[in-house]
Amino acid sequence: MLRSISLALLLASAPASAFANSCPTQMAAIDAALSTASLSEADMTKVKELRKQGEDLHNSGDHAGSEAALGEAKKMLGI
């Protein structure tokens, strides 16, 4: 019984940890794209703000919020 409960908890936490690990990958993709992006100054500022917000949310444990902010930044960059 304890074994089944332990397995269930492990399987339930696996997607959360996988989700959390995509944040750094997305931040790296944004960082790489920033160097060659041809955006207006306002859009570049917005992308940098969204990237920072995504990192802060990731570090605080809000991975869904981080994914949303980073996704918006990637959309603006066209990646």
Side-chain angles (χ1 to χ4, degrees), residues 5-6 8-9 15-17 28 33-34 44 52 54-56 61-62 69-70:
I5 293 171
S6 297
L9 289 173
S17 64
L34 278 172
M44 186 66 80
K52 173 76 169 106
E55 183 175 11
D56 292 344
D62 182 1
L70 295 172

Side-chain angles (χ1 to χ4, degrees), residues 9 21 25 30 32 40 45 56-57 66 68-69 75 77:
L9 289 173
N21 289 334
T25 303
I30 291 167
S40 69
T45 299
D56 292 344
L57 289 167
S66 175
K75 183 178 173 183
L77 287 166

Side-chain angles (χ1 to χ4, degrees), residues 45-56:
T45 299
K46 181 68 175 171
V47 167
K48 289 178 181 180
E49 288 172 359
L50 287 166
R51 195 259 185 236
K52 173 76 169 106
Q53 180 184 10
E55 183 175 11
D56 292 344

Side-chain angles (χ1 to χ4, degrees), residues 4-14:
S4 297
I5 293 171
S6 297
L7 180 60
L9 289 173
L10 175 67
L11 292 175
S13 66

